[in-house]
Amino acid sequence: MTTHDLTSHDLTSRVEAVLAATPNQLFVEGRWQQAVSGASFTVENPATGDVIATVASAGRADAAAAMDAASAVQETWARTSSRSRADILRRGFDLVQERAEDLALLMTLEMGKPLAQSRGEVNYGGEFLRWFSEEAVRDSGRYADTPEGNLRMLVTRKPVGPCLLITPWNFPLAMATRKVAPAIAAGCTMILKPAGLTPLTALYFTQLMTEAGLPAGVLNVLPTDSPAEISEPLLADSRLRKISFTGSTPVGKHLMRQATENVLRTSMELGGNGPLLVFEDADLDKAVDGAMAAKMRNMGEACTAANRLLVHDSVAEEFIARLAQKMSALSVGSGLDETSEVGPLIDDKACASVEGLVAEAVERGATVVVGGHRIEGAGHFYAPTLLRDVPADARVMREEIFGPVAPVMTFSSEDEAVALANATEYGLASYVFTENISRGLRIGDRIDFGLMGLNVGVISNAAAPFGGVKQSGLGREGGAEGISEYTSTQYIGVESPWGPAV
């Protein structure tokens, strides 16, 4: 049953039931437990500001206990057959599908996105469990003679060891499954630290993985409102062998510096400043729809969001007019309302940040076409906003917006478009709209981004490698590449069965 079918009273009862069924404690060594210190923090609904849960807040002692648990079972878990690990992932996938409505409702409650988008995240996030259940049994090495013929090479891939997985607040399920699934597939134990703003979905997901048969100690979960209390002691512990982090570039750099002390394997998915290029030969229907998807999904609170809309000057007026019509028609409201298309931003700080970016752009000569203001009342709502004539050096063109604001500037040639696109220290997602396939592929060669959508506005997929270049990070998640991030390569030289080489 979806919320379409529920009365207001029924929806309230459903919300209460889902929250009551969601764990609010730490998960260490297969047990739900309070923090050693007894500390806790609250989780709010960003659409109302109401507290919806109180969650145990892990500290240093809890981090030590989680590291002990993960280390103690690492060898046994690594020897567990790949088929057994795959079966656990597949059962986890099935359980996520069975509880899809509960997960979607929980995500909307703690993060704010409309229910339709939360359901989309359940589908997307679940696919990492299914994909890596299939990849787990295909993680092979090689066996061959050396060129000289004097040795046989036995090359295998082994689990790298205990991992620290740090996830952001904007995609509470998908960011957890994108890290947990390949770690399970590879045979690594884990300590998961979900974002303090949205820990509930990760805790619910953890419960599902225990139902799927994941052994005690393999996955340990430490919600906290003091992240350094977790990351600092764990990164200093020689038993930890990998960190995977999704979040801001400044925090990622700080964690990387800490990780150097023990030479940890690192996967960093950091900030973005994605360009969306619309050439003069673009199909404008595709371009506008793609811009709406790439900009407005998740209220713009996505590292893959189209941050800068770069449009050829010959089609700019028509593109802006069409985009303005679509953006002004969007319904803004609580994500629990099935008619809402744009939910709240995560908190008041996020609203203030977006306000500041828009105000500075206007001061520098940009024009507000649609929106441009905070929506008064309860919650943290900002109107979908379209800006035109935005100068290239405005902060809104240089910084990650993380809100429903689309700034437009124009270009007149392919070379200028490429130069504008590359004029950023970031290099995660990009989007190109042109009906000339040669141009599209040529632009792909010329722009410095790890991801590019060609005539599409959403490209994330569990089967595809996700990650950036430059200050958007390193490593890849998803795809065949995703499991490699959790393995190390070992070479064993074996005496040739034929004796000395001839």
Side-chain angles (χ1 to χ4, degrees):
M1 180 183 293
T2 70
T3 60
H4 279 301
D5 309 309
L6 299 177
T7 65
S8 176
H9 177 269
D10 289 339
L11 179 57
T12 300
S13 298
R14 181 70 178 277
V15 166
E16 291 174 351
V18 169
L19 290 174
T22 302
N24 64 352
Q25 299 177 303
L26 318 181
F27 189 70
V28 179
E29 203 174 5
R31 295 187 300 272
W32 295 104
Q33 57 194 54
Q34 294 296 338
V36 170
S37 68
S40 63
F41 63 98
T42 58
V43 180
E44 295 183 357
N45 178 347
T48 63
D50 295 338
V51 172
I52 57 174
T54 300
V55 178
S57 183
R60 288 179 175 266
D62 305 298
M67 189 70 249
D68 288 344
S71 178
V73 300
Q74 175 59 61
E75 185 175 358
T76 301
W77 179 239
R79 291 202 308 268
T80 301
S81 72
S82 59
R83 178 62 68 198
S84 295
R85 299 197 299 265
D87 288 344
I88 290 170
L89 285 169
R90 182 59 197 222
R91 286 194 294 271
F93 168 78
D94 291 339
L95 286 168
V96 165
Q97 306 314 304
E98 290 174 17
R99 314 282 175 84
E101 277 300 306
D102 286 352
L103 281 163
L105 186 59
L106 195 56
M107 268 191 281
T108 293
L109 284 169
E110 67 173 345
M111 188 267 159
K113 69 183 73 181
L115 275 166
Q117 294 188 30
S118 291
R119 294 184 186 112
E121 183 176 339
V122 173
N123 289 333
Y124 171 55
E127 281 302 316
F128 287 99
L129 300 172
R130 177 155 65 174
W131 173 261
F132 284 108
S133 74
E134 297 161 345
E135 287 295 292
V137 297
R138 297 184 176 88
D139 188 28
S140 57
R142 57 192 170 97
Y143 176 67
D145 288 324
T146 60
E148 298 80 7
N150 61 323
L151 292 171
R152 287 279 172 93
M153 297 182 294
L154 181 60
V155 181
T156 60
R157 293 204 293 180
K158 303 167 61 175
V160 70
C163 305
L164 172 59
L165 313 177
I166 303 177
T167 58
W169 52 261
N170 55 341
F171 291 95
L173 179 65
M175 298 302 96
T177 58
R178 198 162 77 181
K179 297 180 189 299
V180 169
I184 290 174
C188 296
T189 59
M190 297 148 280
I191 300 168
L192 171 65
K193 193 210 78 63
L197 290 168
T198 58
L200 302 179
T201 303
L203 294 171
Y204 192 103
F205 165 64
T206 300
Q207 181 64 47
L208 296 186
M209 292 309 297
T210 64
E211 292 180 36
L214 196 64
V218 173
L219 173 61
N220 305 275
V221 185
L222 301 178
T224 184
D225 63 350
S226 301
E229 289 288 301
I230 302 303
S231 61
E232 287 181 2
L234 289 176
L235 290 170
D237 193 313
S238 62
R239 295 173 295 177
L240 188 75
R241 297 313 311 143
K242 175 180 172 63
I243 177 174
S244 176
F245 170 77
T246 299
S248 72
T249 296
V251 174
K253 288 180 176 180
H254 176 69
L255 293 172
M256 288 178 72
R257 284 191 289 268
Q258 291 180 303
T260 60
E261 189 64 30
N262 285 324
V263 195
L264 299 182
R265 288 281 295 276
T266 56
S267 298
M268 294 282 157
E269 196 262 281
L270 307 177
N273 187 7
L276 184 143
L277 281 58
V278 181
F279 284 91
E280 69 274 17
D281 63 346
D283 180 323
L284 288 188
D285 288 333
K286 288 182 188 176
V288 171
D289 287 345
M292 288 293 291
K295 176 73 262 182
M296 296 307 301
R297 175 181 177 233
N298 226 51
M299 294 79 72
E301 294 175 314
C303 54
T304 55
N307 218 57
R308 301 168 290 148
L309 277 58
L310 311 177
V311 186
H312 193 275
D313 50 22
S314 67
V315 295
E317 291 300 326
E318 185 176 358
F319 176 84
I320 290 170
R322 292 196 194 186
L323 188 60
Q325 183 178 25
K326 289 212 177 244
M327 290 187 72
S328 61
L330 290 170
S331 174
V332 181
S334 168
L336 294 177
D337 183 343
E338 292 279 6
T339 65
S340 293
E341 298 168 288
V342 181
L345 297 184
I346 189 64
D347 58 16
D348 192 66
K349 181 181 177 183
C351 270
S353 174
V354 171
E355 279 186 309
L357 290 172
V358 171
E360 194 263 356
V362 171
E363 288 173 4
R364 298 179 67 81
T367 300
V368 176
V369 181
V370 172
H373 59 87
R374 188 189 293 226
I375 297 175
E376 297 301 322
H380 314 297
F381 293 91
Y382 195 89
T385 298
L386 177 60
L387 304 174
R388 64 173 300 165
D389 306 321
V390 185
D393 59 352
R395 285 175 53 220
V396 78
M397 300 297 281
R398 296 183 287 108
E399 300 178 15
E400 193 168 28
I401 300 169
F402 246 61
V405 177
V408 178
M409 67 179 299
T410 61
F411 64 85
S412 58
S413 69
E414 181 177 314
D415 286 344
E416 184 184 7
V418 170
L420 287 170
N422 285 337
T424 175
E425 67 267 35
Y426 298 105
L428 186 59
S430 59
Y431 306 90
V432 176
F433 288 84
T434 175
E435 291 300 288
N436 183 328
I437 189 65
S438 293
R439 168 184 274 164
L441 295 176
R442 188 166 63 242
I443 296 297
D445 286 345
R446 299 183 68 189
I447 60 174
D448 299 325
F449 292 84
L451 312 169
M452 190 184 95
L454 182 53
N455 293 322
V456 291
V458 177
I459 59 173
S460 296
N461 190 283
F466 184 101
V469 298
K470 299 193 289 186
Q471 296 202 34
S472 285
L474 49 88
R476 292 295 181 267
E477 295 183 311
E481 294 81 359
I483 197 170
S484 297
E485 298 285 338
Y486 293 86
T487 63
S488 59
T489 301
Q490 182 180 52
Y491 155 61
I492 299 175
V494 182
E495 183 182 28
S496 172
W498 296 101
V502 176

